[in-house]
C-alpha cells in the first residue's frame, strides 16, 4: 500500500453524514488504559454541493462573491482546526460548511475522553493537567498538514487558524502561548478564561480544592444540576440541535477535584496575562444569565460564563486582540438562533481572510 493510499484509508465515514469523515489518533496510554483523540474533517466531493445547499444564507453568500480556493495562488493553503468545550464534541456542521465555502480546509478535534474519543471505562473529560492535550494537538496538526498536502498537491504547509469554544478556548489560548509561530489566527468562541465570579472566588476555590486534588483527584464534587443551557441547545428541549446523550449529557459530566485544580491553574495563568503572537478574536454574547431552571430569557444570553469578566481577561491574551459581542447569543455563539450565528459566521470568515498566510 502506498503512503497516499494508507493515509486515505485511515479516514472513515462520520456520524455527521455526507462529506464528514474521522480519523482515530492513538495517544500514549494513561492510568485508565488506552487513550485516543479523534480528528474530523469536512471534505465534500468537489462536484457536489454541500448539504442543504449550504443552507439559504450560504447560497446567498456565495452568489455575491467568487468562491475562493482553499489554496490561493502564490500563498499557503488555509486550514481551520476547531476545538470543542466541556462535556462536548464537534457537531457544528453549518460552521464547517460555511468556512469550507469561504475557502478553508475544515477540521475538528474531539479531545481525549470526550465525544468520539471517549472509550469504555474512562472518566469522561478527566485530566489533571491541561497541558496533556499538547499530544493530540501535535498529532492533529501533523495529520492536517499531511492531508492538505494530499488534497492540494502542494508541499507548502497550511496556515492553521484555530477556533475553540469554552474550555477548548482556555486550552487553545494556553497552547498558543506555549507554541509561538504555529497559528495564523486564534478565534475563541465564549472562552472560559475565568471562574464565574472573580479571581477572589477562584483563589478561595483553589484552596478548597487543593487537598482533594492531592489525595483523591477523581473525587466528584456534588453540585446542583443546571441543565438550563442544555435545554436551550437541544432539540429535545427548546433548541435546534441533536445532541448525543452520552457525549453531551443533560447534566454535564461530574466535576472532579483534579480537573478543577487544572482549570483553576489555567485561569490563574490567563490572569497573569499571556503573550500569544497570533491575532486573537473573541466572540461573546451580549450578557450573562446563569440559573438552574430554564426560562425563555436563556435563549438570548450566555448561561455558562461571565461575559463581562471574560471580555476583560481577553485583552490580556495577546497584543492584537479583538472582542466581538453578539446580543442574543447563547454560550456557544455558533449554536445561537440563526440570525445571530449567521453574523458570527460572516465575521469569522472575514477575520480569517484578513490573515491568509
Amino acid at each position: 500500500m502506498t503512503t497516499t493510499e494508507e493515509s486515505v484509508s485511515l479516514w472513515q465515514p462520520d456520524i455527521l453524514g455526507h462529506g464528514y469523515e474521522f480519523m482515530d489518533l492513538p495517544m500514549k496510554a494513561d492510568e485508565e488504559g488506552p487513550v485516543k483523540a479523534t480528528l474530523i474533517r469536512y471534505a465534500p466531493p468537489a462536484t457536489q454541493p454541500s448539504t442543504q445547499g449550504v443552507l439559504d444564507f450560504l447560497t446567498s453568500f456565495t452568489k455575491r462573491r467568487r468562491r475562493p480556493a482553499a489554496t490561493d495562488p502564490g500563498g499557503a493553503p488555509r486550514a481551520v482546526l476547531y476545538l470543542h468545550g466541556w462535556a462536548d464534541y464537534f457537531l457544528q456542521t453549518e460552521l464547517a460548511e460555511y468556512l469550507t465555502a469561504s475557502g478553508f480546509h475544515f477540521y475538528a478535534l474531539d479531545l481525549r475522553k470526550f465525544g468520539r474519543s471517549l472509550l469504555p471505562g474512562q472518566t469522561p473529560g478527566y485530566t489533571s493537567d491541561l497541558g496533556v492535550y499538547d499530544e493530540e494537538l501535535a498529532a492533529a496538526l501533523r495529520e492536517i498538514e499531511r492531508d492538505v498536502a494530499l488534497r492540494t498537491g502542494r508541499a507548502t504547509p497550511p496556515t492553521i487558524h484555530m477556533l475553540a469554544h469554552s474550555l477548548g478556548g482556555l486550552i487553545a489560548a494556553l497552547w498558543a502561548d506555549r507554541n509561538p509561530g504555529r497559528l495564523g489566527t486564534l478565534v475563541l468562541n465564549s472562552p472560559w478564561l475565568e471562574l464565574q465570579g472573580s479571581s477572589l472566588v477562584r483563589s478561595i476555590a483553589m484552596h478548597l480544592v487543593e487537598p482533594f486534588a492531592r489525595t483523591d483527584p477523581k473525587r466528584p464534587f456534588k453540585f446542583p444540576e443546571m441543565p438550563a443551557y442544555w435545554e436551550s441547545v437541544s432539540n429535545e428541549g427548546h433548541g435546534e440541535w441533536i445532541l448525543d446523550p452520552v457525549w453531551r449529557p443533560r447534566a454535564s459530566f461530574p466535576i472532579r477535584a483534579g480537573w478543577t485544580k487544572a482549570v483553576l491553574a489555567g485561569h490563574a495563568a490567563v490572569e497573569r496575562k499571556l503573550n500569544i503572537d497570533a491575532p486573537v478574536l473573541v466572540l461573546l454574547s451580549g450578557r450573562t444569565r446563569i440559573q438552574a431552571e430554564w426560562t425563555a430569557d436563556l435563549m438570548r444570553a450566555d448561561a455558562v460564563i461571565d461575559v463581562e469578566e471574560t471580555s476583560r481577561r481577553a485583552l490580556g491574551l495577546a497584543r492584537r486582540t479583538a472582542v466581538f459581542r453578539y446580543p442574543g447569543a447563547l454560550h456557544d455563539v455558533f449554536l445561537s438562533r440563526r440570525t445571530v450565528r449567521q453574523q458570527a459566521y460572516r465575521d469569522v470568515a472575514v477575520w480569517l481572510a484578513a490573515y491568509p498566510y
Side-chain angles (χ1 to χ4, degrees), residues 48-261:
Q48 298 186 25
S50 302
T51 57
Q52 301 178 42
V54 184
L55 303 174
D56 293 342
F57 74 88
L58 183 51
T59 301
S60 174
F61 175 82
T62 53
K63 283 180 179 177
R64 294 198 302 270
R65 61 197 281 267
R66 175 187 64 84
R67 174 171 173 155
T71 304
D72 286 342
R78 302 178 296 173
V80 170
L81 176 59
Y82 174 93
L83 300 184
H84 58 80
W86 169 247
D88 205 353
Y89 64 101
F90 172 67
L91 57 90
Q92 288 78 357
T93 53
E94 282 188 10
L95 173 67
E97 291 159 25
Y98 191 98
L99 291 180
T100 298
S102 298
F104 299 89
H105 299 283
F106 188 92
Y107 300 84
L109 183 64
D110 276 10
L111 300 167
R112 66 185 67 200
K113 304 185 182 183
F114 288 98
R116 298 163 180 81
S117 305
L118 182 60
L119 298 174
Q122 289 184 329
T123 305
Y126 182 78
T127 185
S128 60
D129 179 6
L130 298 184
V132 74
Y133 300 118
D134 286 13
E135 184 183 6
E136 51 251 62
L137 284 169
L141 292 176
R142 286 194 300 269
E143 290 299 338
I144 289 170
E145 289 188 2
R146 182 180 305 165
D147 190 54
V148 169
L150 288 172
R151 292 164 66 184
T152 64
R154 296 173 62 98
T156 307
T159 299
I160 302 295
H161 301 274
M162 192 172 289
L163 200 168
H165 171 55
S166 198
L167 175 64
L170 176 62
I171 293 167
L174 297 172
W175 179 88
D177 182 61
R178 295 192 301 270
N179 293 271
R182 298 298 303 276
L183 297 180
T185 64
L186 176 63
V187 179
L188 302 178
N189 169 17
S190 301
W192 192 20
L193 302 181
E194 181 57 276
L195 196 66
Q196 294 86 337
S198 67
S199 58
L200 176 60
V201 173
R202 170 169 41 81
S203 178
I204 294 171
M206 181 63 92
H207 286 296
L208 295 174
V209 165
E210 173 65 35
F212 298 110
R214 187 172 57 253
T215 60
D216 189 9
K218 291 184 181 177
R219 174 191 177 115
F221 294 128
K222 292 184 179 180
F223 295 111
E225 290 189 4
M226 298 187 68
Y229 177 54
W230 181 93
E231 290 275 353
S232 298
V233 173
S234 173
N235 69 341
E236 296 181 16
H238 304 275
E240 301 178 43
W241 310 94
I242 299 173
L243 305 181
D244 185 284
V246 175
W247 297 350
R248 192 164 183 177
R250 179 186 178 92
S252 189
F253 296 153
I255 303 299
R256 301 178 188 275
W259 177 86
T260 303
K261 180 180 177 181

